[in-house]
Amino acid sequence: MEGIASALGDGARWQIVELLAERPRSVGELAELTGLRQPQTTKHLQTLARAGLVAVYPLGQRRVYALESAPLAMFADRVRELAVTADAHQDERDVLARYRAAIEAESVLADRERWADGRAFVFERTLAAPPDAVWQHWVDPGLLASWWAPPSMTVTACVLEPTEGGRAVLEYRDADGRRYRSEGRVHTAVEREHLAFDLAVRDAAGAVSFTGHYALALAAVPHGTRLRLDLRITETAVAAVPYIAGIETGWAQVLDNLADALTDDKERR
């Protein structure tokens, strides 16, 4: 596939393929129709032949080239598969589009320090696991690391110590190696019911971009747990625009991760 894609990635070669799709042609005819010199045309044909796209037929003093349809059909099938895969993941591109729109909207508002202080968010989920399992996925560092990061991010450190004054730390890196770190303290911890903590999100220089004040509430419901997460932000810096713009989308993705992690854990048992 790579060889075919590379061969077809040149405009002149693509034009030659289009001409050969109509009927076999000689080098001279192809050169005349494309406006290329014959040596250039020959080199392009050799590249197409190495990719298996054309076959050459020596006919006395003439060399006639014909298009091989089978490799093109395989390539077309692969392209169609890619299109189907892309359509199946349209929602992920929609997430990026919404995030970009949110950044643009927040950039208009971020005209001073503390521009978003007091803004509040609420996230609710019904999870197919008992409260003790959900609680463990918040307070066990290994379980927490399995879900507490958006897609394409890797958790490098995380802890929520379920005691008053306990540490709250989240650090992850993206695929480009950039690291993101948040630090704070746990204020309230009632096992399997309630967890309140702060996290100050820091930029690359260590300055606070904003502080999130979180209140997690868990309640048993038939066949699972009702989760509610309240978030209020303070200490908002102007440079926090990308962080603030991504809160709703990011937490929606992270809670999806939590639901998946709980399901996987249940299946393993």
Side-chain angles (χ1 to χ4, degrees):
M1 293 298 105
E2 291 180 6
I4 294 174
S6 177
L8 295 176
D10 179 272
R13 288 195 290 271
W14 181 262
Q15 189 178 5
I16 289 171
V17 167
E18 289 182 318
L19 291 168
L20 291 177
E22 297 172 355
R23 61 178 176 82
R25 300 178 189 270
S26 67
V27 176
E29 185 181 3
L30 289 168
E32 182 179 349
L33 291 171
T34 59
L36 299 170
R37 291 178 296 140
Q38 283 202 23
Q40 290 177 297
T41 305
T42 298
K43 287 184 178 180
H44 285 312
L45 286 166
Q46 289 170 344
T47 299
L48 292 169
R50 285 195 296 271
L53 290 168
V54 300
V56 59
Y57 294 87
L59 302 176
Q61 298 298 316
R62 301 173 63 234
R63 296 171 68 84
V64 176
Y65 289 83
L67 190 65
E68 297 282 13
S69 61
L72 277 178
M74 287 190 298
F75 187 72
D77 288 342
R78 182 58 182 144
V79 171
R80 278 191 290 270
E81 289 173 3
L82 292 174
V84 169
T85 300
D87 285 343
H89 293 84
Q90 177 63 45
D91 56 335
E92 296 180 27
R93 295 197 298 281
D94 292 342
V95 166
L96 290 177
R98 291 196 300 272
Y99 183 35
R100 179 180 178 182
I103 289 176
E104 292 175 352
E106 297 292 3
S107 296
V108 174
L109 301 175
D111 58 352
R112 65 191 185 284
E113 295 298 314
R114 296 183 175 274
W115 58 278
D117 279 18
R119 191 178 299 186
F121 304 83
V122 177
F123 305 96
E124 294 183 300
R125 290 294 177 94
T126 298
L127 301 167
D132 60 336
V134 179
W135 178 261
Q136 285 302 314
H137 275 75
W138 280 87
V139 301
D140 181 295
L143 295 175
L144 187 60
S146 71
W147 64 268
W148 200 15
S152 78
M153 303 291 187
T154 301
V155 173
T156 53
C158 67
V159 62
L160 279 176
E161 296 177 342
T163 58
E164 184 176 344
R167 292 184 305 136
V169 176
L170 171 62
E171 181 181 274
Y172 54 84
R173 69 171 182 272
D174 63 21
D176 297 318
R178 289 184 291 266
R179 291 184 177 271
Y180 306 84
R181 186 172 179 85
S182 304
E183 299 174 309
R185 291 290 172 185
V186 173
H187 299 287
T188 308
V190 180
E191 188 172 357
R192 291 177 294 186
E193 293 182 11
H194 181 64
L195 190 67
F197 59 96
D198 297 339
L199 278 175
V201 178
R202 300 188 178 276
D203 62 20
V208 174
S209 291
F210 77 94
T211 297
H213 306 270
Y214 298 86
L216 171 70
L218 304 178
V221 296
H223 310 297
T225 301
R226 185 65 177 171
L227 177 152
R228 175 179 171 125
L229 182 68
D230 288 85
L231 166 61
R232 180 176 55 87
I233 59 177
T234 62
E235 300 181 271
T236 322
V238 172
V241 165
Y243 297 116
I244 304 303
I247 285 177
E248 290 199 45
T249 298
W251 268 105
Q253 293 175 319
V254 164
L255 291 177
D256 283 344
N257 292 347
L258 173 58
D260 291 342
L262 288 164
T263 299
D264 291 344
D265 184 61
K266 184 178 181 180
E267 290 176 351
R268 282 193 297 268
R269 294 182 181 180

